Amino acid sequence: MANEHRHAPAGRARVVNRKRIARLMRDHGIIGRHLRKRCRTTVRDRNVPPAPDLIGRDFTAGGPDIRWAGDIAYLLAVRRQ
């Protein structure tokens, strides 16, 4: 049942094969949304050695202000006009 879709009002669900959905979409000129490729934000310099792992991948701390860690999340920024 992994390739079947169930979208109907409660109590009226029908089992529909994905190939039927693909054919109906093609017949009616409907195309699915394509996800964007992820943009590459960092290009590694192979001549520079990696930063040392000073805490040995152990992020547990015995109390406050013992270990600090950070992460950078890349978000799509849209310029509004």
PDB file of all heavy atoms in Angstrom, residues 1-41:
ATOM      1  N   MET A   1       0.799  -1.193   0.000  1.00  0.00           N
ATOM      2  CA  MET A   1       0.000   0.000   0.000  1.00  0.00           C
ATOM      3  C   MET A   1       0.848   1.267   0.000  1.00  0.00           C
ATOM      4  O   MET A   1       0.296   2.346   0.018  1.00  0.00           O
ATOM      5  CB  MET A   1      -0.909   0.009   1.215  1.00  0.00           C
ATOM      6  CG  MET A   1      -2.086  -0.870   1.082  1.00  0.00           C
ATOM      7  SD  MET A   1      -3.469   0.019   1.749  1.00  0.00           S
ATOM      8  CE  MET A   1      -4.445  -1.345   2.254  1.00  0.00           C
ATOM      9  N   ALA A   2       2.162   1.154  -0.024  1.00  0.00           N
ATOM     10  CA  ALA A   2       3.021   2.325   0.026  1.00  0.00           C
ATOM     11  C   ALA A   2       2.845   3.200  -1.207  1.00  0.00           C
ATOM     12  O   ALA A   2       3.044   4.400  -1.134  1.00  0.00           O
ATOM     13  CB  ALA A   2       4.478   1.905   0.170  1.00  0.00           C
ATOM     14  N   ASN A   3       2.469   2.632  -2.361  1.00  0.00           N
ATOM     15  CA  ASN A   3       2.326   3.395  -3.590  1.00  0.00           C
ATOM     16  C   ASN A   3       0.890   3.840  -3.826  1.00  0.00           C
ATOM     17  O   ASN A   3       0.551   4.249  -4.914  1.00  0.00           O
ATOM     18  CB  ASN A   3       2.805   2.568  -4.783  1.00  0.00           C
ATOM     19  CG  ASN A   3       4.296   2.377  -4.760  1.00  0.00           C
ATOM     20  OD1 ASN A   3       5.004   3.204  -4.210  1.00  0.00           O
ATOM     21  ND2 ASN A   3       4.776   1.310  -5.330  1.00  0.00           N
ATOM     22  N   GLU A   4       0.027   3.752  -2.848  1.00  0.00           N
ATOM     23  CA  GLU A   4      -1.374   4.123  -3.010  1.00  0.00           C
ATOM     24  C   GLU A   4      -1.677   5.344  -2.146  1.00  0.00           C
ATOM     25  O   GLU A   4      -1.088   5.534  -1.092  1.00  0.00           O
ATOM     26  CB  GLU A   4      -2.271   2.950  -2.621  1.00  0.00           C
ATOM     27  CG  GLU A   4      -2.046   1.753  -3.527  1.00  0.00           C
ATOM     28  CD  GLU A   4      -2.675   0.492  -2.981  1.00  0.00           C
ATOM     29  OE1 GLU A   4      -2.968   0.436  -1.781  1.00  0.00           O
ATOM     30  OE2 GLU A   4      -2.855  -0.424  -3.774  1.00  0.00           O
ATOM     31  N   HIS A   5      -2.575   6.164  -2.621  1.00  0.00           N
ATOM     32  CA  HIS A   5      -2.907   7.404  -1.929  1.00  0.00           C
ATOM     33  C   HIS A   5      -4.348   7.359  -1.454  1.00  0.00           C
ATOM     34  O   HIS A   5      -5.219   6.869  -2.145  1.00  0.00           O
ATOM     35  CB  HIS A   5      -2.707   8.604  -2.868  1.00  0.00           C
ATOM     36  CG  HIS A   5      -1.310   8.710  -3.355  1.00  0.00           C
ATOM     37  ND1 HIS A   5      -0.327   9.333  -2.644  1.00  0.00           N
ATOM     38  CD2 HIS A   5      -0.715   8.239  -4.471  1.00  0.00           C
ATOM     39  CE1 HIS A   5       0.800   9.254  -3.309  1.00  0.00           C
ATOM     40  NE2 HIS A   5       0.598   8.600  -4.428  1.00  0.00           N
ATOM     41  N   ARG A   6      -4.621   7.901  -0.300  1.00  0.00           N
ATOM     42  CA  ARG A   6      -5.973   7.963   0.242  1.00  0.00           C
ATOM     43  C   ARG A   6      -6.284   9.419   0.589  1.00  0.00           C
ATOM     44  O   ARG A   6      -5.867   9.904   1.632  1.00  0.00           O
ATOM     45  CB  ARG A   6      -6.099   7.111   1.494  1.00  0.00           C
ATOM     46  CG  ARG A   6      -5.903   5.641   1.249  1.00  0.00           C
ATOM     47  CD  ARG A   6      -5.843   4.940   2.591  1.00  0.00           C
ATOM     48  NE  ARG A   6      -5.415   3.568   2.417  1.00  0.00           N
ATOM     49  CZ  ARG A   6      -6.242   2.524   2.434  1.00  0.00           C
ATOM     50  NH1 ARG A   6      -7.507   2.707   2.629  1.00  0.00           N
ATOM     51  NH2 ARG A   6      -5.782   1.309   2.256  1.00  0.00           N
ATOM     52  N   HIS A   7      -6.985  10.100  -0.305  1.00  0.00           N
ATOM     53  CA  HIS A   7      -7.387  11.484  -0.057  1.00  0.00           C
ATOM     54  C   HIS A   7      -8.858  11.605  -0.388  1.00  0.00           C
ATOM     55  O   HIS A   7      -9.238  11.625  -1.554  1.00  0.00           O
ATOM     56  CB  HIS A   7      -6.577  12.468  -0.910  1.00  0.00           C
ATOM     57  CG  HIS A   7      -5.144  12.546  -0.506  1.00  0.00           C
ATOM     58  ND1 HIS A   7      -4.731  13.218   0.617  1.00  0.00           N
ATOM     59  CD2 HIS A   7      -4.027  12.026  -1.052  1.00  0.00           C
ATOM     60  CE1 HIS A   7      -3.423  13.108   0.737  1.00  0.00           C
ATOM     61  NE2 HIS A   7      -2.974  12.391  -0.260  1.00  0.00           N
ATOM     62  N   ALA A   8      -9.702  11.671   0.597  1.00  0.00           N
ATOM     63  CA  ALA A   8     -11.143  11.828   0.425  1.00  0.00           C
ATOM     64  C   ALA A   8     -11.724  12.271   1.756  1.00  0.00           C
ATOM     65  O   ALA A   8     -11.073  12.162   2.794  1.00  0.00           O
ATOM     66  CB  ALA A   8     -11.760  10.506  -0.020  1.00  0.00           C
ATOM     67  N   PRO A   9     -12.946  12.767   1.725  1.00  0.00           N
ATOM     68  CA  PRO A   9     -13.582  13.114   3.003  1.00  0.00           C
ATOM     69  C   PRO A   9     -13.641  11.903   3.926  1.00  0.00           C
ATOM     70  O   PRO A   9     -13.657  10.759   3.459  1.00  0.00           O
ATOM     71  CB  PRO A   9     -14.982  13.565   2.588  1.00  0.00           C
ATOM     72  CG  PRO A   9     -14.866  13.937   1.150  1.00  0.00           C
ATOM     73  CD  PRO A   9     -13.774  13.081   0.582  1.00  0.00           C
ATOM     74  N   ALA A  10     -13.686  12.151   5.204  1.00  0.00           N
ATOM     75  CA  ALA A  10     -13.697  11.065   6.184  1.00  0.00           C
ATOM     76  C   ALA A  10     -14.792  10.062   5.863  1.00  0.00           C
ATOM     77  O   ALA A  10     -15.925  10.420   5.574  1.00  0.00           O
ATOM     78  CB  ALA A  10     -13.890  11.637   7.588  1.00  0.00           C
ATOM     79  N   GLY A  11     -14.462   8.789   5.883  1.00  0.00           N
ATOM     80  CA  GLY A  11     -15.410   7.719   5.630  1.00  0.00           C
ATOM     81  C   GLY A  11     -15.610   7.401   4.165  1.00  0.00           C
ATOM     82  O   GLY A  11     -16.318   6.466   3.821  1.00  0.00           O
ATOM     83  N   ARG A  12     -14.993   8.176   3.254  1.00  0.00           N
ATOM     84  CA  ARG A  12     -15.166   7.933   1.828  1.00  0.00           C
ATOM     85  C   ARG A  12     -13.830   7.756   1.120  1.00  0.00           C
ATOM     86  O   ARG A  12     -13.706   8.038  -0.068  1.00  0.00           O
ATOM     87  CB  ARG A  12     -15.932   9.083   1.193  1.00  0.00           C
ATOM     88  CG  ARG A  12     -17.333   9.246   1.796  1.00  0.00           C
ATOM     89  CD  ARG A  12     -18.122  10.286   1.079  1.00  0.00           C
ATOM     90  NE  ARG A  12     -18.248   9.932  -0.326  1.00  0.00           N
ATOM     91  CZ  ARG A  12     -18.581  10.787  -1.278  1.00  0.00           C
ATOM     92  NH1 ARG A  12     -18.817  12.042  -0.973  1.00  0.00           N
ATOM     93  NH2 ARG A  12     -18.681  10.411  -2.534  1.00  0.00           N
ATOM     94  N   ALA A  13     -12.828   7.282   1.805  1.00  0.00           N
ATOM     95  CA  ALA A  13     -11.493   7.131   1.220  1.00  0.00           C
ATOM     96  C   ALA A  13     -11.500   6.028   0.169  1.00  0.00           C
ATOM     97  O   ALA A  13     -12.132   4.990   0.321  1.00  0.00           O
ATOM     98  CB  ALA A  13     -10.478   6.806   2.304  1.00  0.00           C
ATOM     99  N   ARG A  14     -10.789   6.274  -0.919  1.00  0.00           N
ATOM    100  CA  ARG A  14     -10.631   5.279  -1.983  1.00  0.00           C
ATOM    101  C   ARG A  14      -9.147   5.021  -2.173  1.00  0.00           C
ATOM    102  O   ARG A  14      -8.331   5.927  -2.059  1.00  0.00           O
ATOM    103  CB  ARG A  14     -11.190   5.803  -3.298  1.00  0.00           C
ATOM    104  CG  ARG A  14     -12.683   5.955  -3.293  1.00  0.00           C
ATOM    105  CD  ARG A  14     -13.187   6.533  -4.582  1.00  0.00           C
ATOM    106  NE  ARG A  14     -12.666   5.801  -5.733  1.00  0.00           N
ATOM    107  CZ  ARG A  14     -12.876   6.175  -6.978  1.00  0.00           C
ATOM    108  NH1 ARG A  14     -13.570   7.258  -7.232  1.00  0.00           N
ATOM    109  NH2 ARG A  14     -12.378   5.480  -7.975  1.00  0.00           N
ATOM    110  N   VAL A  15      -8.807   3.799  -2.502  1.00  0.00           N
ATOM    111  CA  VAL A  15      -7.428   3.447  -2.781  1.00  0.00           C
ATOM    112  C   VAL A  15      -7.176   3.738  -4.258  1.00  0.00           C
ATOM    113  O   VAL A  15      -7.886   3.235  -5.121  1.00  0.00           O
ATOM    114  CB  VAL A  15      -7.158   1.959  -2.462  1.00  0.00           C
ATOM    115  CG1 VAL A  15      -5.735   1.595  -2.853  1.00  0.00           C
ATOM    116  CG2 VAL A  15      -7.399   1.690  -0.995  1.00  0.00           C
ATOM    117  N   VAL A  16      -6.171   4.588  -4.544  1.00  0.00           N
ATOM    118  CA  VAL A  16      -5.857   4.974  -5.918  1.00  0.00           C
ATOM    119  C   VAL A  16      -4.372   4.772  -6.126  1.00  0.00           C
ATOM    120  O   VAL A  16      -3.557   5.272  -5.354  1.00  0.00           O
ATOM    121  CB  VAL A  16      -6.231   6.452  -6.179  1.00  0.00           C
ATOM    122  CG1 VAL A  16      -5.928   6.821  -7.616  1.00  0.00           C
ATOM    123  CG2 VAL A  16      -7.690   6.692  -5.857  1.00  0.00           C
ATOM    124  N   ASN A  17      -3.994   4.072  -7.180  1.00  0.00           N
ATOM    125  CA  ASN A  17      -2.602   3.792  -7.486  1.00  0.00           C
ATOM    126  C   ASN A  17      -1.901   5.052  -7.967  1.00  0.00           C
ATOM    127  O   ASN A  17      -2.495   5.881  -8.651  1.00  0.00           O
ATOM    128  CB  ASN A  17      -2.531   2.683  -8.542  1.00  0.00           C
ATOM    129  CG  ASN A  17      -1.128   2.182  -8.741  1.00  0.00           C
ATOM    130  OD1 ASN A  17      -0.305   2.891  -9.276  1.00  0.00           O
ATOM    131  ND2 ASN A  17      -0.866   0.965  -8.316  1.00  0.00           N
ATOM    132  N   ARG A  18      -0.629   5.191  -7.654  1.00  0.00           N
ATOM    133  CA  ARG A  18       0.137   6.380  -8.048  1.00  0.00           C
ATOM    134  C   ARG A  18       0.222   6.536  -9.550  1.00  0.00           C
ATOM    135  O   ARG A  18       0.304   7.648 -10.074  1.00  0.00           O
ATOM    136  CB  ARG A  18       1.532   6.342  -7.442  1.00  0.00           C
ATOM    137  CG  ARG A  18       2.410   5.239  -7.985  1.00  0.00           C
ATOM    138  CD  ARG A  18       3.805   5.279  -7.370  1.00  0.00           C
ATOM    139  NE  ARG A  18       4.581   4.150  -7.819  1.00  0.00           N
ATOM    140  CZ  ARG A  18       5.235   4.108  -8.984  1.00  0.00           C
ATOM    141  NH1 ARG A  18       5.205   5.142  -9.796  1.00  0.00           N
ATOM    142  NH2 ARG A  18       5.929   3.034  -9.319  1.00  0.00           N
ATOM    143  N   LYS A  19       0.206   5.427 -10.314  1.00  0.00           N
ATOM    144  CA  LYS A  19       0.264   5.516 -11.779  1.00  0.00           C
ATOM    145  C   LYS A  19      -1.003   6.149 -12.344  1.00  0.00           C
ATOM    146  O   LYS A  19      -0.959   6.897 -13.308  1.00  0.00           O
ATOM    147  CB  LYS A  19       0.479   4.130 -12.385  1.00  0.00           C
ATOM    148  CG  LYS A  19       1.858   3.572 -12.087  1.00  0.00           C
ATOM    149  CD  LYS A  19       2.038   2.219 -12.712  1.00  0.00           C
ATOM    150  CE  LYS A  19       3.397   1.646 -12.364  1.00  0.00           C
ATOM    151  NZ  LYS A  19       3.576   0.317 -12.951  1.00  0.00           N
ATOM    152  N   ARG A  20      -2.152   5.875 -11.727  1.00  0.00           N
ATOM    153  CA  ARG A  20      -3.401   6.502 -12.169  1.00  0.00           C
ATOM    154  C   ARG A  20      -3.344   7.994 -11.910  1.00  0.00           C
ATOM    155  O   ARG A  20      -3.746   8.800 -12.739  1.00  0.00           O
ATOM    156  CB  ARG A  20      -4.600   5.889 -11.461  1.00  0.00           C
ATOM    157  CG  ARG A  20      -5.899   6.604 -11.832  1.00  0.00           C
ATOM    158  CD  ARG A  20      -7.083   5.951 -11.224  1.00  0.00           C
ATOM    159  NE  ARG A  20      -7.329   4.706 -11.933  1.00  0.00           N
ATOM    160  CZ  ARG A  20      -8.434   3.998 -11.831  1.00  0.00           C
ATOM    161  NH1 ARG A  20      -9.399   4.409 -11.004  1.00  0.00           N
ATOM    162  NH2 ARG A  20      -8.598   2.889 -12.492  1.00  0.00           N
ATOM    163  N   ILE A  21      -2.827   8.355 -10.750  1.00  0.00           N
ATOM    164  CA  ILE A  21      -2.694   9.775 -10.429  1.00  0.00           C
ATOM    165  C   ILE A  21      -1.760  10.450 -11.422  1.00  0.00           C
ATOM    166  O   ILE A  21      -2.057  11.540 -11.929  1.00  0.00           O
ATOM    167  CB  ILE A  21      -2.200   9.961  -8.979  1.00  0.00           C
ATOM    168  CG1 ILE A  21      -3.267   9.477  -8.004  1.00  0.00           C
ATOM    169  CG2 ILE A  21      -1.830  11.415  -8.712  1.00  0.00           C
ATOM    170  CD1 ILE A  21      -2.816   9.428  -6.575  1.00  0.00           C
ATOM    171  N   ALA A  22      -0.643   9.795 -11.737  1.00  0.00           N
ATOM    172  CA  ALA A  22       0.313  10.360 -12.697  1.00  0.00           C
ATOM    173  C   ALA A  22      -0.343  10.530 -14.069  1.00  0.00           C
ATOM    174  O   ALA A  22      -0.168  11.557 -14.731  1.00  0.00           O
ATOM    175  CB  ALA A  22       1.540   9.468 -12.798  1.00  0.00           C
ATOM    176  N   ARG A  23      -1.126   9.550 -14.513  1.00  0.00           N
ATOM    177  CA  ARG A  23      -1.786   9.627 -15.823  1.00  0.00           C
ATOM    178  C   ARG A  23      -2.819  10.750 -15.833  1.00  0.00           C
ATOM    179  O   ARG A  23      -2.878  11.552 -16.771  1.00  0.00           O
ATOM    180  CB  ARG A  23      -2.457   8.301 -16.169  1.00  0.00           C
ATOM    181  CG  ARG A  23      -3.203   8.337 -17.506  1.00  0.00           C
ATOM    182  CD  ARG A  23      -3.854   7.013 -17.843  1.00  0.00           C
ATOM    183  NE  ARG A  23      -4.714   6.497 -16.798  1.00  0.00           N
ATOM    184  CZ  ARG A  23      -5.976   6.918 -16.568  1.00  0.00           C
ATOM    185  NH1 ARG A  23      -6.498   7.867 -17.301  1.00  0.00           N
ATOM    186  NH2 ARG A  23      -6.688   6.371 -15.600  1.00  0.00           N
ATOM    187  N   LEU A  24      -3.634  10.852 -14.781  1.00  0.00           N
ATOM    188  CA  LEU A  24      -4.636  11.908 -14.722  1.00  0.00           C
ATOM    189  C   LEU A  24      -3.989  13.297 -14.692  1.00  0.00           C
ATOM    190  O   LEU A  24      -4.457  14.231 -15.352  1.00  0.00           O
ATOM    191  CB  LEU A  24      -5.530  11.719 -13.499  1.00  0.00           C
ATOM    192  CG  LEU A  24      -6.488  10.523 -13.569  1.00  0.00           C
ATOM    193  CD1 LEU A  24      -7.143  10.294 -12.216  1.00  0.00           C
ATOM    194  CD2 LEU A  24      -7.518  10.731 -14.655  1.00  0.00           C
ATOM    195  N   MET A  25      -2.919  13.424 -13.937  1.00  0.00           N
ATOM    196  CA  MET A  25      -2.215  14.704 -13.899  1.00  0.00           C
ATOM    197  C   MET A  25      -1.659  15.042 -15.270  1.00  0.00           C
ATOM    198  O   MET A  25      -1.761  16.191 -15.726  1.00  0.00           O
ATOM    199  CB  MET A  25      -1.098  14.666 -12.856  1.00  0.00           C
ATOM    200  CG  MET A  25      -1.599  14.666 -11.432  1.00  0.00           C
ATOM    201  SD  MET A  25      -0.286  14.500 -10.205  1.00  0.00           S
ATOM    202  CE  MET A  25       0.607  16.028 -10.438  1.00  0.00           C
ATOM    203  N   ARG A  26      -1.067  14.071 -15.955  1.00  0.00           N
ATOM    204  CA  ARG A  26      -0.511  14.287 -17.295  1.00  0.00           C
ATOM    205  C   ARG A  26      -1.623  14.679 -18.274  1.00  0.00           C
ATOM    206  O   ARG A  26      -1.471  15.615 -19.062  1.00  0.00           O
ATOM    207  CB  ARG A  26       0.208  13.020 -17.752  1.00  0.00           C
ATOM    208  CG  ARG A  26       0.964  13.159 -19.039  1.00  0.00           C
ATOM    209  CD  ARG A  26       1.801  11.933 -19.372  1.00  0.00           C
ATOM    210  NE  ARG A  26       1.036  10.691 -19.297  1.00  0.00           N
ATOM    211  CZ  ARG A  26       1.204   9.760 -18.358  1.00  0.00           C
ATOM    212  NH1 ARG A  26       2.113   9.926 -17.411  1.00  0.00           N
ATOM    213  NH2 ARG A  26       0.483   8.656 -18.358  1.00  0.00           N
ATOM    214  N   ASP A  27      -2.774  13.983 -18.224  1.00  0.00           N
ATOM    215  CA  ASP A  27      -3.898  14.266 -19.117  1.00  0.00           C
ATOM    216  C   ASP A  27      -4.440  15.678 -18.925  1.00  0.00           C
ATOM    217  O   ASP A  27      -4.909  16.305 -19.873  1.00  0.00           O
ATOM    218  CB  ASP A  27      -5.031  13.256 -18.898  1.00  0.00           C
ATOM    219  CG  ASP A  27      -4.667  11.848 -19.352  1.00  0.00           C
ATOM    220  OD1 ASP A  27      -3.632  11.687 -20.047  1.00  0.00           O
ATOM    221  OD2 ASP A  27      -5.407  10.911 -19.005  1.00  0.00           O
ATOM    222  N   HIS A  28      -4.384  16.196 -17.693  1.00  0.00           N
ATOM    223  CA  HIS A  28      -4.932  17.517 -17.392  1.00  0.00           C
ATOM    224  C   HIS A  28      -3.866  18.603 -17.336  1.00  0.00           C
ATOM    225  O   HIS A  28      -4.165  19.745 -16.960  1.00  0.00           O
ATOM    226  CB  HIS A  28      -5.703  17.479 -16.070  1.00  0.00           C
ATOM    227  CG  HIS A  28      -6.949  16.654 -16.148  1.00  0.00           C
ATOM    228  ND1 HIS A  28      -8.121  17.129 -16.669  1.00  0.00           N
ATOM    229  CD2 HIS A  28      -7.202  15.366 -15.813  1.00  0.00           C
ATOM    230  CE1 HIS A  28      -9.044  16.190 -16.643  1.00  0.00           C
ATOM    231  NE2 HIS A  28      -8.505  15.098 -16.114  1.00  0.00           N
ATOM    232  N   GLY A  29      -2.626  18.260 -17.693  1.00  0.00           N
ATOM    233  CA  GLY A  29      -1.552  19.254 -17.724  1.00  0.00           C
ATOM    234  C   GLY A  29      -1.124  19.744 -16.355  1.00  0.00           C
ATOM    235  O   GLY A  29      -0.642  20.865 -16.213  1.00  0.00           O
ATOM    236  N   ILE A  30      -1.292  18.912 -15.349  1.00  0.00           N
ATOM    237  CA  ILE A  30      -0.903  19.283 -13.985  1.00  0.00           C
ATOM    238  C   ILE A  30       0.483  18.704 -13.717  1.00  0.00           C
ATOM    239  O   ILE A  30       0.730  17.532 -13.976  1.00  0.00           O
ATOM    240  CB  ILE A  30      -1.904  18.721 -12.957  1.00  0.00           C
ATOM    241  CG1 ILE A  30      -3.299  19.263 -13.236  1.00  0.00           C
ATOM    242  CG2 ILE A  30      -1.455  19.057 -11.541  1.00  0.00           C
ATOM    243  CD1 ILE A  30      -4.381  18.592 -12.419  1.00  0.00           C
ATOM    244  N   ILE A  31       1.376  19.547 -13.206  1.00  0.00           N
ATOM    245  CA  ILE A  31       2.708  19.049 -12.850  1.00  0.00           C
ATOM    246  C   ILE A  31       2.927  19.266 -11.363  1.00  0.00           C
ATOM    247  O   ILE A  31       2.393  20.211 -10.773  1.00  0.00           O
ATOM    248  CB  ILE A  31       3.832  19.721 -13.666  1.00  0.00           C
ATOM    249  CG1 ILE A  31       3.824  21.226 -13.457  1.00  0.00           C
ATOM    250  CG2 ILE A  31       3.705  19.380 -15.137  1.00  0.00           C
ATOM    251  CD1 ILE A  31       5.019  21.915 -14.055  1.00  0.00           C
ATOM    252  N   GLY A  32       3.692  18.379 -10.770  1.00  0.00           N
ATOM    253  CA  GLY A  32       3.993  18.484  -9.350  1.00  0.00           C
ATOM    254  C   GLY A  32       5.003  19.576  -9.082  1.00  0.00           C
ATOM    255  O   GLY A  32       5.718  20.037  -9.974  1.00  0.00           O
ATOM    256  N   ARG A  33       5.068  19.983  -7.847  1.00  0.00           N
ATOM    257  CA  ARG A  33       6.033  20.998  -7.433  1.00  0.00           C
ATOM    258  C   ARG A  33       7.406  20.362  -7.335  1.00  0.00           C
ATOM    259  O   ARG A  33       7.580  19.332  -6.691  1.00  0.00           O
ATOM    260  CB  ARG A  33       5.614  21.560  -6.078  1.00  0.00           C
ATOM    261  CG  ARG A  33       6.524  22.621  -5.583  1.00  0.00           C
ATOM    262  CD  ARG A  33       5.945  23.242  -4.328  1.00  0.00           C
ATOM    263  NE  ARG A  33       6.943  24.118  -3.760  1.00  0.00           N
ATOM    264  CZ  ARG A  33       7.291  24.114  -2.507  1.00  0.00           C
ATOM    265  NH1 ARG A  33       6.700  23.308  -1.662  1.00  0.00           N
ATOM    266  NH2 ARG A  33       8.200  24.931  -2.062  1.00  0.00           N
ATOM    267  N   HIS A  34       8.389  20.972  -7.950  1.00  0.00           N
ATOM    268  CA  HIS A  34       9.757  20.471  -7.912  1.00  0.00           C
ATOM    269  C   HIS A  34      10.521  21.184  -6.813  1.00  0.00           C
ATOM    270  O   HIS A  34      10.514  22.415  -6.738  1.00  0.00           O
ATOM    271  CB  HIS A  34      10.455  20.685  -9.252  1.00  0.00           C
ATOM    272  CG  HIS A  34       9.818  19.938 -10.368  1.00  0.00           C
ATOM    273  ND1 HIS A  34      10.131  18.632 -10.652  1.00  0.00           N
ATOM    274  CD2 HIS A  34       8.862  20.287 -11.248  1.00  0.00           C
ATOM    275  CE1 HIS A  34       9.408  18.220 -11.665  1.00  0.00           C
ATOM    276  NE2 HIS A  34       8.619  19.215 -12.047  1.00  0.00           N
ATOM    277  N   LEU A  35      11.160  20.431  -5.968  1.00  0.00           N
ATOM    278  CA  LEU A  35      11.957  21.039  -4.912  1.00  0.00           C
ATOM    279  C   LEU A  35      13.235  21.601  -5.499  1.00  0.00           C
ATOM    280  O   LEU A  35      13.816  21.029  -6.417  1.00  0.00           O
ATOM    281  CB  LEU A  35      12.271  20.006  -3.833  1.00  0.00           C
ATOM    282  CG  LEU A  35      11.045  19.431  -3.126  1.00  0.00           C
ATOM    283  CD1 LEU A  35      11.471  18.361  -2.138  1.00  0.00           C
ATOM    284  CD2 LEU A  35      10.275  20.514  -2.409  1.00  0.00           C
ATOM    285  N   ARG A  36      13.684  22.690  -4.948  1.00  0.00           N
ATOM    286  CA  ARG A  36      14.911  23.314  -5.438  1.00  0.00           C
ATOM    287  C   ARG A  36      16.130  22.519  -5.001  1.00  0.00           C
ATOM    288  O   ARG A  36      16.132  21.899  -3.956  1.00  0.00           O
ATOM    289  CB  ARG A  36      15.058  24.715  -4.863  1.00  0.00           C
ATOM    290  CG  ARG A  36      14.000  25.663  -5.256  1.00  0.00           C
ATOM    291  CD  ARG A  36      14.342  27.002  -4.637  1.00  0.00           C
ATOM    292  NE  ARG A  36      13.199  27.882  -4.747  1.00  0.00           N
ATOM    293  CZ  ARG A  36      13.301  29.185  -4.725  1.00  0.00           C
ATOM    294  NH1 ARG A  36      14.474  29.741  -4.578  1.00  0.00           N
ATOM    295  NH2 ARG A  36      12.229  29.923  -4.831  1.00  0.00           N
ATOM    296  N   LYS A  37      17.168  22.630  -5.809  1.00  0.00           N
ATOM    297  CA  LYS A  37      18.446  22.064  -5.392  1.00  0.00           C
ATOM    298  C   LYS A  37      18.995  22.943  -4.269  1.00  0.00           C
ATOM    299  O   LYS A  37      18.817  24.155  -4.264  1.00  0.00           O
ATOM    300  CB  LYS A  37      19.449  22.070  -6.546  1.00  0.00           C
ATOM    301  CG  LYS A  37      19.169  21.067  -7.606  1.00  0.00           C
ATOM    302  CD  LYS A  37      20.284  21.114  -8.633  1.00  0.00           C
ATOM    303  CE  LYS A  37      20.054  20.088  -9.714  1.00  0.00           C
ATOM    304  NZ  LYS A  37      21.127  20.119 -10.709  1.00  0.00           N
ATOM    305  N   ARG A  38      19.652  22.323  -3.329  1.00  0.00           N
ATOM    306  CA  ARG A  38      20.264  23.100  -2.259  1.00  0.00           C
ATOM    307  C   ARG A  38      21.472  23.836  -2.804  1.00  0.00           C
ATOM    308  O   ARG A  38      22.286  23.259  -3.516  1.00  0.00           O
ATOM    309  CB  ARG A  38      20.689  22.178  -1.127  1.00  0.00           C
ATOM    310  CG  ARG A  38      19.492  21.551  -0.435  1.00  0.00           C
ATOM    311  CD  ARG A  38      19.934  20.744   0.709  1.00  0.00           C
ATOM    312  NE  ARG A  38      20.554  21.643   1.691  1.00  0.00           N
ATOM    313  CZ  ARG A  38      20.557  21.426   2.979  1.00  0.00           C
ATOM    314  NH1 ARG A  38      20.015  20.345   3.461  1.00  0.00           N
ATOM    315  NH2 ARG A  38      21.128  22.266   3.803  1.00  0.00           N
ATOM    316  N   CYS A  39      21.576  25.096  -2.445  1.00  0.00           N
ATOM    317  CA  CYS A  39      22.738  25.845  -2.896  1.00  0.00           C
ATOM    318  C   CYS A  39      23.915  25.533  -1.981  1.00  0.00           C
ATOM    319  O   CYS A  39      23.750  25.320  -0.786  1.00  0.00           O
ATOM    320  CB  CYS A  39      22.455  27.337  -2.926  1.00  0.00           C
ATOM    321  SG  CYS A  39      22.124  28.057  -1.328  1.00  0.00           S
ATOM    322  N   ARG A  40      25.078  25.505  -2.551  1.00  0.00           N
ATOM    323  CA  ARG A  40      26.281  25.203  -1.785  1.00  0.00           C
ATOM    324  C   ARG A  40      26.757  26.483  -1.119  1.00  0.00           C
ATOM    325  O   ARG A  40      27.019  27.484  -1.786  1.00  0.00           O
ATOM    326  CB  ARG A  40      27.343  24.659  -2.723  1.00  0.00           C
ATOM    327  CG  ARG A  40      28.532  24.117  -2.022  1.00  0.00           C
ATOM    328  CD  ARG A  40      29.414  23.387  -2.993  1.00  0.00           C
ATOM    329  NE  ARG A  40      30.544  22.837  -2.284  1.00  0.00           N
ATOM    330  CZ  ARG A  40      31.484  22.151  -2.861  1.00  0.00           C
ATOM    331  NH1 ARG A  40      31.436  21.923  -4.149  1.00  0.00           N
ATOM    332  NH2 ARG A  40      32.487  21.677  -2.166  1.00  0.00           N
ATOM    333  N   THR A  41      26.850  26.472   0.193  1.00  0.00           N
ATOM    334  CA  THR A  41      27.188  27.690   0.923  1.00  0.00           C
ATOM    335  C   THR A  41      28.650  27.742   1.355  1.00  0.00           C
ATOM    336  O   THR A  41      29.155  28.796   1.669  1.00  0.00           O
ATOM    337  CB  THR A  41      26.309  27.810   2.169  1.00  0.00           C
ATOM    338  OG1 THR A  41      26.469  26.633   2.963  1.00  0.00           O
ATOM    339  CG2 THR A  41      24.845  27.965   1.794  1.00  0.00           C
TER     340      THR A  41
END
